[in-house]
Amino acid sequence: MARRESLAKKSAWTLVAWAIGFVMFFPIFWTGIAAFKSEADAYSLPRTWLTSPWTLENFAIVQARSNYLQYVFNTTVIAVLSTLLGLAFAIPAAWGMAFQPETKPSVNLSGKAWALILLFFFAVTAAIALSVGWRMTDNPLLGLALILLFGLPIAAWVWTRRTGDKLLWMLSTKMMPPAGALIPIYLIFNRNGLVFRQWGGVDLGDWNLIDTFAGMVPLMMLLNLPIVIWMLYTYFKEIPFEILEAARMDGAGLWQELSKVLAPMAVPGIASTLLLNVILSWNEAFWTLNLTNKNAAPLSFFISEYSSPEGQFWAKLSAASLMAIAPIMVLGWFSQRQLVRGLTFGAVK
Amino acid sequence: MATRQGQALGRLAVAPAVAALAAWSIVPLALAIYYAFLHYQLDNPDNTFFAGWSNFYYFVTDPFFAKDLFNTVALVLLVLAITIAGGVLLAILLDRPMWGQGIVRVMVISPFFIMPTVSALVWKNLMMHPVYGFFAHVWRAFGLTPVDWFASIPLLSVGIIVGWQWLPFATLILLTALQSLDLEQKDAAQMDGAGTVDFFRHITLPHLMRPITVVILIETIFLLNVFAEIKVTSVGGLAGNLTYLVFSQLNDANDVGEAAAGGLIAVVLANLVSAFLVRIVGRNLEA
Amino acid sequence: MGSIQLKGVRKDFGTVAVIKGVDLDIKDGEFVVFVGPSGCGKSTLLRLIAGLEDATGGQVLIDGKDVTEVGPSERGLAMVFQSYALYPHMSVRKNIAFPLMMAKTPKDQIDAKVAKAAATLNLGDYLDRRPGQLSGGQRQRVAIGRAIVRDPTAFLFDEPLSNLDAALRVQMRVEIGELHGQLKKTMIYVTHDQVEAMTMADKIVVLDKGAVAQVGSPLTLYNKPDNLFVARFIGSPTMNVLSGAAAAKRGAASIGVRPEHVDVSTTAGEWKAKVRLAEHLGSDTFVHADVEGAGQMTVRREGEAALHAGDTIYLTPQEPRVHRFDAAGLRVA
Ligand SMILES: Nc1ncnc2c1ncn2[C@@H]1O[C@H](COP(=O)(O)OP(=O)(O)OP(=O)(O)O)[C@@H](O)[C@H]1O
Ligand SMILES: [Mg+2]
């Protein structure tokens, strides 16, 4: 501003802003207070929040009743492992696309050729379905055919596109609504889903990924992978390629170029990405509610248990909520900017 | 930067991510299409047979479908209205010089980091409970009859909760965009004698158009899939959306075929929206 | 020890031929400058020598050894980039030491060499700073320091001075020249500034659209340009090129005469002209004149010539200094 705002004006803005900020924050503030009250007081909170006694008992009850720490552990395991796994896929991908961009498709087939290839794969799938029967439960070959014959050509097609198209395709995979994937994933995960009960001669009768880390971690990784790749990509793009070339001229081999020059420069970007991904998976509440109930259940599931409670429960709900949101809210405060970049796919920085 | 070795390495590095995402995007879709044409109920898997289009027919003619489709769209529009209007105002407010800007900012964006199950239950109980909730107290203080939020206006109630969660997102993005509006432009406009309203109409709003579009598209993708808020507040019967309907087909009716058909309808809906988003981000990528 | 040969080197980007078969012989210890208009392929050619780009065809030889398939880290060359490309997360000391660390040089030797380079380049006071805390000229020196410590076979510079202001550019130009005198190493230097080219080079390579237009010492290019492109590109102000009667009279399709090789008279001469603009620089006067029947010409007079717009003058080229070109633009002997 060229002109200094007058003091009165600034005071007025401050007042308005603080008022609105407080309104936005109020439900959290209220939860924070109720968590330290007795159940009876929690129900008359608006009248008594200043006068009624404070207590820590809710936290102890919550822990004793449903083993809060176990859920924290589960949430952390899923968030951290899925993030690390995601980075393992995303870092090389983002590196490749940022520093070795391809401006034209590496394989040039006409649209007609691609259509023919797809048609061919459809025909093979149909032939398999017709000859072995359409019931996947009897004929695992059909499941395999579906996976390979649909997945492979698409993957190959994407892989040979130019970098810009690859990125957009990755973005588009984030659009898959969970409702569309719920049934297949549920059945793939579930031993009763029968997709994997018997594969060929192999009996997979004990196959069950529901409520396991083995199921939730890769799932969460895939959910957020497009965002992670995009975010890393926008960070890598800001590193001048000439610096990596300078390292090559200075005699650095590929490994030294990556570890001594690129890695230190990329650390801030990787850290922000990691943070955002932890936040996203910490708060995920579609798949966790549908696919977990105990062993791998995270905090979002733990809280949902309070939706059908008995007796007075507000103070306990508040204590449990506070414990579930506090760590991630603090992380969130520190990652506001990165959040914008990550969630808008670099469209707003 | 073009050495053959580098290119090959780059292509190799992208391969695992492409493979993983290809599997993630295609396998469930292929399976969903397969299941959508089967009569397949989890409680009676032996009686499974090819069902043609009947799953789609039953899903669409389900009395809940029309209502839930309406709710889906209404919820998206409602929350978009709340977050865009509120976001623009909040962003402009937060862009002003003031004392304690950092703290206000933190207070405003905090709801975004609250997990959906927590915000749903806290709002349903502590805020919106018809007898003990905070709003009930406020209503009574003004001599009004408290509203029974979830019984009388369930969709609006869910909309308020979801709007509260997403308002910070819109605010944060619009604020970031506002801060990139360069100072010289502000000064030049002042020199040209533009008043506050003119400035907002001719400079601020046009500058925010693109970020607003981005916010609308990204929120829409997430809002089409609102689920936890509906499930834990137990308003699925009154204000369920498509996502919830698919869930209940699987969970309550054990009907795999119909749920898969419903899921495919949700996929079509989401793709209509995402086509726009991909185009916008793509244009940005070229620039 | 530092000779470099290019044999028919070609580079295509997709379907576009950017370097169209370049043959070049650079002797050990030579200071070679690549000049040419923007986009003519100077950087690409330099990067081909460095190994940062693969050649589409042809060979690069260093000291007689074919290195076409050898990666940049094994060619033993050092490069100074236009953007300096310093490692932002390392101190100046670390930046300079980096190539030595890559070569697994013992620690005490590294310290000694870094200290020596820093002394040569006046960087002693800045060794513990980060590149972000340095001025443009200091960054430039660090980039050069990083190049000299490890005693490379040859130095490659890609427009190293283009980000500096005019005064600093002159100073650094002199310093690089002195460095070449001290080190006596092969240096290849890309620029589009012909003053840099003329003052620094032992040998200038003029590139035009990915092909070599002429190779020679600065004065050879000035006095005997092989073709119209070089004739026009070297020398400032640009050489006057005339066709028509004046050229036909001398048995050429076109003739060229540099502004400093035209005599001016107010009474008589070969061409009658009218002064359009006289630029008085103090040391020189540039006269832009419209020549009757031959278009515009620029003339350079030493000192303060008393000429003004609207004056009528007579111009006569100094006959031995007239360059003759045939219809294809090639020099006629
Ligand atoms: N990676 C690339 N892909 C495609 N074309 C390229 C690439 N790099 C350079 N080119 C093209 O090759 C030509 C030569 O580029 P180069 O950078 O060598 O020019 P230059 O002579 O160094 O120009 P300047 O003086 O502007 O630096 C240009 O037309 C450029 O557009
Ligand atoms: Mg260049």
Side-chain angles (χ1 to χ4, degrees):
Chain A
M1 286 277 142
R3 270 184 302 147
R4 294 241 332 262
E5 299 260 350
S6 72
L7 211 61
K9 231 170 157 184
K10 188 170 171 182
S11 313
W13 282 120
T14 305
L15 214 64
V16 176
W18 275 82
I20 292 182
F22 185 69
V23 168
M24 283 298 285
F25 193 72
F26 184 76
I28 303 169
F29 170 75
W30 213 227
T31 310
I33 291 188
F36 296 96
K37 299 290 182 179
S38 72
E39 285 295 356
D41 290 334
Y43 280 82
S44 58
L45 206 54
R47 276 180 286 113
T48 61
W49 67 279
L50 273 176
T51 50
S52 55
W54 302 86
T55 170
L56 285 173
E57 64 178 10
N58 298 312
F59 296 92
I61 298 174
V62 166
Q63 165 62 17
R65 206 175 71 170
S66 52
N67 200 1
Y68 162 78
L69 289 176
Q70 178 66 41
Y71 291 101
V72 174
F73 174 78
N74 291 351
T75 317
T76 314
V77 167
I78 293 175
V80 170
L81 287 189
S82 74
T83 301
L84 294 181
L85 192 62
L87 286 178
F89 278 87
I91 291 177
W95 173 82
M97 292 190 290
F99 295 124
Q100 304 292 343
E102 295 177 86
T103 47
K104 54 184 183 33
S106 51
V107 172
N108 242 331
L109 291 181
S110 64
K112 223 156 108 196
W114 281 112
L116 280 177
I117 290 176
L118 271 183
L119 206 68
F120 171 75
F121 276 102
F122 277 120
V124 172
T125 315
I128 292 174
L130 286 178
S131 58
V132 303
W134 46 264
R135 282 181 60 165
M136 213 185 292
T137 44
D138 307 332
N139 295 290
L141 200 55
L142 186 58
L144 195 64
L146 278 174
I147 292 172
L148 290 183
L149 297 181
F150 279 73
L152 276 182
I154 300 271
W157 182 80
V158 173
W159 196 48
T160 54
R161 293 307 87 189
R162 57 197 195 93
T163 298
D165 292 341
K166 278 193 194 113
L167 278 163
L168 289 184
W169 172 80
M170 288 180 177
L171 167 65
S172 74
T173 65
K174 181 68 197 162
M175 315 297 167
M176 174 71 148
L182 174 64
I183 309 307
I185 296 294
Y186 181 77
L187 294 179
I188 289 174
F189 272 33
N190 193 338
R191 114 178 85 215
N192 295 320
L194 308 179
V195 177
F196 287 116
R197 181 186 275 177
Q198 270 199 342
W199 270 57
V202 188
D203 185 3
L204 293 172
D206 283 336
W207 176 279
N208 187 10
L209 291 175
I210 300 256
D211 203 21
T212 61
F213 291 130
M216 290 312 288
V217 169
L219 183 68
M220 202 66 83
M221 184 279 276
L222 288 168
L223 278 184
N224 294 329
L225 190 56
I227 293 185
V228 172
I229 292 177
W230 263 85
M231 198 164 159
L232 276 179
Y233 172 80
T234 63
Y235 278 113
F236 281 2
K237 260 289 180 219
E238 285 170 10
I239 298 176
F241 190 67
E242 278 199 348
I243 293 188
L244 303 188
E245 292 189 325
R248 272 174 226 175
M249 292 306 295
D250 285 344
L254 177 67
W255 173 243
Q256 287 161 321
E257 174 189 328
L258 296 182
S259 65
K260 296 245 163 56
V261 178
L262 179 61
M265 283 194 285
V267 160
I270 293 176
S272 318
T273 309
L274 192 142
L275 206 61
L276 175 68
N277 198 42
V278 167
I279 294 175
L280 289 178
S281 53
W282 188 280
N283 288 340
E284 207 289 323
F286 178 83
W287 295 104
T288 51
L289 292 189
N290 276 298
L291 297 180
T292 65
N293 48 49
K294 184 160 171 280
N295 297 325
L299 285 162
S300 54
F301 174 86
F302 161 70
I303 298 294
S304 74
E305 294 287 88
Y306 283 88
S307 62
S308 49
E310 297 127 28
Q312 294 192 322
F313 70 104
W314 285 12
K316 288 188 279 290
L317 166 68
S318 300
S321 296
L322 198 60
M323 291 195 283
I325 62 176
I328 221 63
M329 200 162 64
V330 174
L331 274 191
W333 291 343
F334 291 109
S335 61
Q336 299 173 32
R337 284 221 159 251
Q338 293 80 313
L339 200 87
V340 173
R341 185 198 282 249
L343 287 179
T344 58
F345 300 94
V348 176
K349 274 184 203 162
Chain B
M1 63 184 75
T3 57
R4 282 179 291 271
Q5 203 194 355
Q7 286 282 341
L9 210 62
R11 232 171 265 159
L12 203 67
V14 183
V18 167
L21 284 175
W24 167 239
S25 64
I26 294 307
V27 173
L29 192 63
L31 285 172
I33 294 173
Y34 169 75
Y35 287 125
F37 290 98
L38 294 188
H39 175 85
Y40 179 8
Q41 303 207 301
L42 279 183
D43 41 15
N44 190 6
D46 291 331
N47 183 29
T48 297
F49 51 86
F50 184 72
W53 292 93
S54 70
N55 284 322
F56 292 92
Y57 177 77
Y58 286 125
F59 189 84
V60 170
T61 53
D62 186 316
F64 275 110
F65 174 76
K67 198 168 106 273
D68 286 1
L69 185 62
F70 171 81
N71 287 345
T72 309
V73 176
L75 185 63
V76 171
L77 293 180
L78 177 64
V79 176
L80 281 180
I82 295 175
T83 56
I84 298 298
V88 171
L89 290 177
L90 275 177
I92 291 174
L93 181 65
L94 286 179
D95 197 30
R96 296 266 147 185
M98 67 177 76
W99 288 289
Q101 195 170 33
I103 299 175
V104 176
R105 216 175 129 126
V106 158
M107 290 201 293
V108 168
I109 63 160
S110 287
F112 190 65
F113 305 116
I114 309 301
M115 58 179 65
T117 47
V118 167
S119 49
L121 286 179
V122 163
W123 273 88
K124 183 182 181 187
N125 294 299
L126 274 66
M127 306 302 295
M128 288 174 163
H129 191 280
V131 181
Y132 304 112
F134 181 78
F135 289 157
H137 278 89
V138 175
W139 259 241
R140 277 195 295 269
F142 285 97
L144 302 166
T145 317
V147 183
D148 189 352
W149 295 85
F150 282 92
S152 54
I153 38 170
L155 190 64
L156 188 62
S157 306
V158 173
I160 291 175
I161 300 177
V162 180
W164 178 71
Q165 290 179 82
W166 282 93
L167 179 53
F169 173 77
T171 307
L172 198 56
I173 285 173
L174 297 178
L175 181 60
T176 310
L178 261 192
Q179 285 169 343
S180 71
L181 187 70
D182 59 12
L183 289 175
E184 275 182 21
Q185 218 178 343
K186 290 185 190 171
D187 287 347
Q190 275 184 349
M191 296 296 289
D192 293 343
T196 316
V197 177
D198 287 333
F199 187 77
F200 178 78
R201 270 219 2 234
H202 298 294
I203 311 258
T204 311
L205 213 52
H207 180 77
L208 287 182
M209 267 351 264
R210 216 179 67 96
I212 286 178
T213 323
V214 172
V215 169
I216 290 179
L217 290 164
I218 289 173
E219 282 194 7
T220 306
I221 287 163
F222 283 92
L223 295 176
L224 283 172
N225 305 320
V226 166
F227 173 73
E229 292 85 343
I230 294 173
K231 178 163 189 274
V232 301
T233 53
S234 320
V235 289
L238 296 170
N241 58 3
L242 271 187
T243 311
Y244 187 83
L245 188 58
V246 171
F247 157 81
S248 65
Q249 282 298 339
L250 178 70
N251 201 57
D252 308 336
N254 282 325
D255 193 333
V256 168
E258 217 179 304
L264 287 180
I265 292 175
V267 171
V268 171
L269 196 63
N271 272 299
L272 291 181
V273 178
S274 67
F276 286 103
L277 176 64
V278 168
R279 198 154 307 157
I280 289 214
V281 173
R283 200 176 308 150
N284 195 48
L285 197 69
E286 308 292 336
Chain C
M1 263 323 291
S3 69
I4 296 173
Q5 274 125 31
L6 305 186
K7 291 188 180 165
V9 170
R10 289 187 298 113
K11 175 72 186 175
D12 302 341
F13 283 116
T15 52
V16 188
V18 170
I19 299 293
K20 302 166 187 162
V22 167
D23 294 294
L24 197 60
D25 225 322
I26 296 169
K27 289 197 227 12
D28 182 29
E30 228 170 7
F31 197 113
V32 177
V33 173
F34 293 173
V35 285
S38 187
C40 68
K42 306 179 293 288
S43 298
T44 306
L45 190 58
L46 194 73
R47 292 163 56 82
L48 283 164
I49 296 173
L52 294 170
E53 304 274 357
D54 287 328
T56 310
Q59 286 180 318
V60 179
L61 285 78
I62 298 178
D63 287 330
K65 267 210 320 271
D66 184 354
V67 295
T68 317
E69 297 298 322
V70 176
S73 58
E74 277 120 55
R75 290 194 185 185
L77 307 173
M79 182 151 167
V80 176
F81 291 84
Q82 181 173 5
S83 64
Y84 315 140
L86 301 179
Y87 310 122
H89 56 288
M90 299 181 193
S91 64
V92 168
R93 185 191 305 282
K94 276 261 181 87
N95 262 282
I96 298 179
F98 189 77
L100 298 172
M101 280 157 51
M102 292 301 104
K104 305 228 160 37
T105 314
K107 176 114 183 35
D108 49 333
Q109 277 186 41
I110 292 186
D111 290 343
K113 286 188 176 178
V114 171
K116 189 166 157 244
T120 314
L121 295 163
N122 277 329
L123 282 169
D125 296 341
Y126 310 111
L127 279 177
D128 294 311
R129 290 208 197 162
R130 292 279 171 98
Q133 302 163 312
L134 300 179
S135 71
Q138 289 161 347
R139 283 181 215 187
Q140 181 61 65
R141 288 201 184 88
V142 177
I144 295 174
R146 193 171 65 182
I148 61 177
V149 271
R150 114 189 131 134
D151 211 15
T153 323
F155 291 90
L156 311 178
F157 295 89
D158 191 357
E159 307 207 25
L161 307 184
S162 60
N163 288 338
L164 303 180
D165 65 43
L168 208 51
R169 203 144 62 201
V170 174
Q171 186 193 333
M172 287 305 298
R173 191 172 87 205
V174 173
E175 285 185 25
I176 292 177
E178 286 172 356
L179 203 65
H180 180 241
Q182 272 173 40
L183 300 173
K184 303 198 168 49
K185 291 266 174 168
T186 311
M187 292 189 176
I188 305 179
Y189 189 104
V190 168
T191 181
H192 59 246
D193 177 343
Q194 56 163 298
V195 180
E196 279 176 27
M198 297 297 281
T199 52
M200 301 171 89
D202 295 324
K203 182 152 98 187
I204 295 180
V205 178
V206 183
L207 289 170
D208 177 23
K209 299 197 192 83
V212 173
Q214 188 174 359
V215 179
S217 72
L219 287 182
T220 311
L221 298 190
Y222 179 82
N223 290 323
K224 288 202 162 128
D226 275 352
N227 48 51
L228 266 176
F229 178 82
V230 176
R232 282 210 179 94
F233 193 78
I234 300 288
S236 172
T238 310
M239 177 186 286
N240 299 298
V241 176
L242 304 142
S243 45
K249 195 179 119 193
R250 292 174 174 84
S254 55
I255 56 165
V257 53
R258 298 195 183 278
E260 50 271 43
H261 300 149
V262 180
D263 291 331
V264 179
S265 152
T266 48
T267 51
E270 184 172 348
W271 302 308
K272 186 178 178 200
K274 193 168 202 154
V275 177
R276 272 205 330 171
L277 174 71
E279 295 174 313
H280 300 280
L281 303 182
S283 60
D284 291 292
T285 305
F286 295 153
V287 182
H288 302 275
D290 288 321
V291 178
E292 271 175 21
Q296 211 193 319
M297 277 183 80
T298 308
V299 179
R300 175 183 192 159
R301 306 281 293 158
E302 262 182 42
E304 298 167 36
L307 290 171
H308 300 282
D311 292 355
T312 299
I313 52 174
Y314 296 87
L315 306 175
T316 313
Q318 298 167 4
E319 212 51 53
R321 298 288 210 168
V322 172
H323 307 273
R324 298 184 301 144
F325 300 97
D326 63 18
L330 297 179
R331 181 179 192 84
V332 179

